[in-house]
Amino acid sequence: MPIVVQKFGGTSVGDLKRVENVARKAISEYEKGNKVVVVVSAMAGETNRLIALAHQITDLPDEREMDVLISTGEQVSIALLAITLKKLGYKAKSYLGNQVKILTDSAFTKARIIKVEHNNILKDLNEGYIVVVAGFQGVDEYGNITTLGRGGSDTTGVAIAAALKADVCDIYTDVEGVYTTDPKICNKARKLKKISYDEMLELASLGSKVLQIRSVELAKKFKVPVHVRSSFSDEPGTLVCEEDKTMENVIVSGISYNKDEARITLVNVPDKPGVAAKLFGEISKGNIVVDMIIQNSSIDGTTDLTFTVPKTDLKKALLLVEKVAKDLGAKEVLSDDSISKVSIVGVGMRSHSGIAAKMFDVLGKAGINILMISTSEIKISCVIDEKYTELAVRELHDAFQLDKEPVIEEK
């Protein structure tokens, strides 16, 4: 029997009526003859409520205790869903992350999955149960509760699908698929029928909220087909899959933006070997992800070093950076949390020239100053003032004609 893993986000289980809707979607797959595993997030708003409670106590709550706190949201939703499935006449059983178990490292609030011990799930599936698993959470080797970071339920779903060698992982959300950009700020955004793992990986890393980046990494590594679709309709969504030759004909597949980054600059840092290693080594110890880095040319034996970090990590990063800056003899440390990153993504960039020049030209004509630039084989990112984000996205979407269905010729 085929195995189908379904993951539902917080809006999909936002109230009891929606929980029943999720139950009926699981039942629909079960009645087709599939073995079904359902991964669910906390009910909409619950994780934010719990985080807010902790921050009423302190600005920097202990991360181990934060995981104990915020993991409780999923326990509520899996129990409610299992109860609903049983009321509707189906065998169901719920599991927390430590019961499955989903083994992670000990990086509290942003743990990474090491392995999924799926024997319990497989046993229940073979006995005819619909299995309900808490997303977002796991357990480390010492028995501590861990969480996977925002959007971590996507990662749970894909990890379980990979462990079970599932036929597909359906990611149900409040949108109907992956769009060329955010439909909330660009009414010309178009739903994509399919997108490659690499493109989705870039979009996720660059701010797209549809899928969490680590879920895409796992899907690519284990070749798990991921179907992104809406919880509130039966329409086909977007298939995230291996790249095929036709995808290279599309130069730009999507535009993403991220307002959740902040910029830090060390002014007049001594320009000598080992400086960057010392700085970013300390930041790494704090489990803070650094994105873009720019170092200015040295004129007087000193240089300016600018980089971006998640906005939520800015306070923590500044504490680390200011200490290192003092040791290095830097003149001062500056920060700015009113920036955003706008990016264009497409596997077709590998075989087409002039894309960066076109992007810069579009932004320039719109009066948008570029603060930082980063590129890869299939993406170009620009850091700009946050207030110009929506304008930049719409101008780029128009310039690359992403509202039009591409004409793809089979080679």
Side-chain angles (χ1 to χ4, degrees):
M1 292 171 64
I3 297 176
V4 174
V5 176
Q6 300 177 312
K7 178 267 169 180
F8 292 88
T11 54
S12 302
V13 291
D15 55 40
L16 291 180
K17 185 177 180 181
R18 290 186 175 184
V19 170
E20 183 169 334
N21 178 58
V22 168
R24 294 193 182 280
K25 285 188 179 293
I27 290 168
S28 175
E29 285 296 337
Y30 183 86
E31 291 294 343
K32 293 175 185 175
N34 298 318
K35 296 177 180 178
V36 180
V37 180
V38 187
V39 175
V40 291
S41 302
M43 299 174 84
E46 181 62 9
T47 303
N48 286 339
R49 184 185 73 83
L50 294 168
I51 291 172
L53 284 175
H55 282 279
Q56 287 178 36
I57 301 171
T58 174
D59 285 341
L60 292 171
D62 180 85
E63 291 181 339
R64 179 189 182 279
E65 303 311 325
M66 282 299 289
D67 277 358
V68 173
L69 175 66
I70 61 180
S71 63
T72 61
E74 282 71 24
Q75 183 167 347
V76 173
S77 51
I78 62 170
L80 291 174
L81 179 55
I83 290 168
T84 303
L85 285 163
K86 290 177 181 180
K87 184 201 78 168
L88 294 171
Y90 291 81
K91 293 168 66 177
K93 189 181 289 187
S94 65
Y95 285 99
L96 296 171
N98 66 323
Q99 293 174 311
V100 170
K101 68 181 175 180
I102 298 170
L103 185 66
T104 74
D105 61 21
S106 300
F108 297 112
T109 75
K110 55 187 75 171
R112 298 185 73 91
I113 294 174
I114 297 171
K115 67 175 179 177
V116 176
E117 296 179 2
H118 61 283
N119 292 337
N120 288 338
I121 294 176
L122 204 53
K123 179 176 177 292
D124 289 336
L125 290 176
N126 290 334
E127 292 177 3
Y129 283 88
I130 294 175
V131 177
V132 183
V133 179
F136 179 60
Q137 59 177 241
V139 61
D140 71 7
E141 62 178 317
Y142 307 106
N144 296 304
I145 295 171
T146 58
T147 64
L148 309 180
R150 279 308 179 95
S153 294
D154 291 347
T155 304
T156 305
V158 174
I160 289 173
L164 294 171
K165 295 181 171 55
D167 293 76
V168 69
C169 180
D170 288 328
I171 303 286
Y172 286 90
T173 181
D174 55 356
V175 295
E176 293 189 346
V178 180
Y179 283 75
T180 49
T181 194
D182 186 351
K184 294 176 183 175
I185 67 171
C186 181
N187 58 17
K188 295 181 181 179
R190 175 176 53 83
K191 185 174 73 176
L192 300 169
K193 293 177 181 177
K194 64 180 178 179
I195 187 169
S196 71
Y197 291 127
D198 285 338
E199 288 172 317
M200 194 67 243
L201 196 58
E202 290 285 9
L203 288 172
S205 70
L206 297 168
S208 172
K209 301 294 191 284
V210 178
L211 286 175
Q212 199 230 32
I213 183 171
R214 277 183 283 171
S215 70
V216 187
E217 289 174 347
L218 282 174
K220 180 183 177 182
K221 181 178 180 179
F222 294 101
K223 298 182 180 179
V224 177
V226 174
H227 188 193
V228 182
R229 56 195 310 184
S230 171
S231 299
F232 310 112
S233 80
D234 295 321
E235 291 297 313
T238 302
L239 184 65
V240 185
C241 57
E242 291 187 88
E243 180 183 330
D244 60 46
K245 292 181 179 179
T246 64
M247 292 179 179
E248 291 187 5
N249 293 333
V250 181
I251 300 173
V252 175
S253 295
I255 299 171
S256 66
Y257 66 92
N258 187 1
K259 294 183 178 181
D260 297 328
E261 292 201 14
R263 183 170 58 149
I264 297 175
T265 300
L266 277 74
V267 180
N268 289 0
V269 182
D271 189 13
K272 60 183 181 181
V275 168
K278 184 171 183 179
L279 171 63
F280 294 112
E282 287 300 312
I283 294 172
S284 175
K285 290 176 186 177
N287 287 318
I288 296 171
V289 177
V290 174
D291 182 16
M292 301 171 71
I293 302 172
I294 289 180
Q295 182 171 333
N296 296 336
S297 299
S298 174
I299 298 175
D300 58 356
T302 65
T303 185
D304 294 345
L305 192 60
T306 301
F307 58 95
T308 59
V309 297
K311 195 175 290 186
T312 52
D313 286 331
L314 179 59
K315 288 182 181 179
K316 184 177 177 182
L318 283 173
L319 290 174
L320 296 169
V321 171
E322 285 167 357
K323 180 179 181 300
V324 176
K326 186 176 180 181
D327 293 341
L328 292 174
K331 181 180 178 182
E332 62 180 324
V333 177
L334 306 175
S335 64
D336 182 5
D337 63 359
S338 60
I339 63 168
S340 72
K341 180 172 63 178
V342 177
S343 310
I344 59 174
V345 173
V347 292
M349 290 187 197
R350 294 183 184 133
S351 53
H352 292 79
S353 61
I355 310 305
K358 183 173 181 177
M359 181 181 188
F360 303 153
D361 183 56
V362 170
L363 294 177
K365 287 178 178 176
I368 301 170
N369 188 38
I370 299 173
L371 306 175
M372 301 174 75
I373 299 169
S374 174
T375 64
S376 78
E377 225 184 358
I378 64 168
K379 65 95 176 170
I380 304 165
S381 297
C382 295
V383 170
I384 61 174
D385 286 336
E386 184 178 10
K387 63 184 178 181
Y388 294 118
T389 307
E390 287 79 5
L391 174 63
V393 169
R394 287 192 288 266
E395 291 292 327
L396 290 168
H397 199 274
D398 284 346
F400 287 99
Q401 299 182 323
L402 297 187
D403 56 318
K404 298 178 181 177
E405 193 76 38
V407 177
I408 299 175
E409 297 179 2
E410 294 282 354
K411 291 184 180 180

